[in-house]
Amino acid sequence: MYAVNYLLLGAVLFSIGVYGVIARRNAVLVLMSVELILNAVNLNFVAFALMTSTIDGQVFVLYVIGVAAAEVGVGLAMVLLVYRNRRSISLDRLSEMKG
Amino acid sequence: MSVLLAADVSVAQNVGFYIIAAAMVFGAFRVVSANNVVHAALWLVIVLAGVAALYILAAAEFVGVSQILVYVGAVMVLFLFGIMLTRAQLGVERDLNNRYWGAAIPVALMLLVVLAWAILDAFDDQTMPDPGGATPTQAIADNVLSNSLVPFLALSFILLAAAVGAIVLARKD
């Protein structure tokens, strides 16, 4: 299999995730787009691990999965807190810190 | 790139890859374009399961099983709980995008072009070695518990801190 298959698919998923992060206003959908980005990166790690015939890439993917799980937990708790205080999770209305 | 015709490339592996990749790209598009948050979450399941299938196709079966356990199992349940706890009504919603969401399209397209150019410039026509069977899980365990033991312990503390922090943030005092 050609190496560019995995890498190009990772690039496409990454770009779609970046589009979602910028375009979405719902905080939960932004977190989902972040998951798309992280999975695109993981796909590249596994592809490089296969290309170099080493196992470090796979171990790194396991770490990224663990950190992503922690990120989703804390992120959704924060979204829940914002919703409880504002009755809305639209990110473009959270402008109190604008100078 | 006559991908399907090259002699040193497994045709079955490529066909499986393209089917899974097409489903994943379509699912990712639906995640960022759906008007229903629950539908977006369910399309995300397609993408995450496709990533797990591609891990197994790349002989990383332990990572693939971990992906299914953690993402499709735990993270998606978290997302669905988040949707249910932060939304009054379910169903189609019209204002899920920003006012300036159109500006995101050229950004994503330019990023994709640059990434694709760099990838094709560096790795064009480079084939992956045939994995020759699944990666032994024992090798992963040896690596985790010897070379990268310190990051493993750090990850344990991150997960502990995240769990405690999520409880502190989300509880009603």
Side-chain angles (χ1 to χ4, degrees):
Chain A
M1 191 179 337
Y2 279 106
V4 290
N5 285 3
Y6 273 81
L7 303 182
L8 282 180
L9 178 64
V12 170
L13 283 183
F14 190 91
S15 303
I16 294 174
V18 168
Y19 166 80
V21 169
I22 299 174
R24 292 298 209 179
R25 80 195 292 196
N26 187 305
V28 176
L29 287 172
V30 171
L31 281 176
M32 285 186 202
S33 304
V34 172
E35 293 305 310
L36 280 183
I37 292 176
L38 288 171
N39 275 282
V41 174
N42 284 349
L43 213 50
N44 278 10
F45 271 126
V46 168
F48 284 128
L50 185 58
M51 279 166 66
T52 58
S53 296
T54 57
I55 209 165
D56 295 330
Q58 296 187 21
V59 174
F60 214 110
V61 168
L62 290 175
Y63 288 139
V64 173
I65 288 177
V67 173
E71 171 251 337
V72 169
V74 175
L76 282 175
M78 288 164 62
V79 169
L80 196 58
L81 205 60
V82 169
Y83 178 77
R84 205 177 282 155
N85 287 327
R86 307 286 303 265
R87 312 308 296 173
S88 161
I89 52 172
S90 292
L91 292 178
D92 50 359
R93 292 194 192 143
L94 302 176
S95 56
E96 278 84 1
M97 292 182 74
K98 195 156 78 177
Chain B
M1 278 203 311
S2 58
V3 172
L4 286 175
L5 299 177
D8 54 345
V9 167
S10 160
V11 174
Q13 207 180 11
N14 267 297
V15 171
F17 175 87
Y18 282 120
I19 291 172
I20 298 168
M24 284 168 62
V25 171
F26 180 73
F29 266 115
R30 293 300 295 153
V31 168
V32 297
S33 67
N35 283 326
N36 189 326
V37 187
V38 180
H39 289 180
L42 295 179
W43 281 111
L44 188 62
V45 172
I46 300 286
V47 180
L48 298 176
V51 171
L54 288 186
Y55 289 164
I56 292 171
L57 202 61
E61 92 286 355
F62 182 74
V63 182
V65 172
S66 305
Q67 167 93 4
I68 290 176
L69 277 178
V70 175
Y71 271 113
V72 185
V75 170
M76 286 318 299
V77 172
L78 264 183
F79 270 124
L80 290 175
F81 267 111
I83 291 167
M84 286 188 285
L85 288 174
T86 55
R87 282 172 51 89
Q89 83 281 7
L90 296 175
V92 174
E93 202 172 2
R94 280 296 158 199
D95 55 348
L96 288 175
N97 282 343
N98 279 322
R99 256 183 309 162
Y100 306 112
W101 66 273
I105 295 176
V107 172
L109 277 182
M110 279 190 285
L111 186 64
L112 178 61
V113 167
V114 170
L115 281 174
W117 179 79
I119 288 168
L120 288 176
D121 190 48
F123 299 106
D124 197 11
D125 287 339
Q126 183 173 342
T127 54
M128 289 186 180
D130 191 20
T135 308
T137 308
Q138 187 187 359
I140 295 177
D142 284 344
N143 197 319
V144 167
L145 293 177
S146 62
N147 287 336
S148 47
L149 180 62
V150 175
F152 179 65
L153 294 175
L155 180 62
S156 313
F157 278 107
I158 287 175
L159 282 172
L160 177 66
V164 174
I167 293 171
V168 170
L169 282 178
R171 78 169 175 188
K172 290 178 178 158
D173 44 355

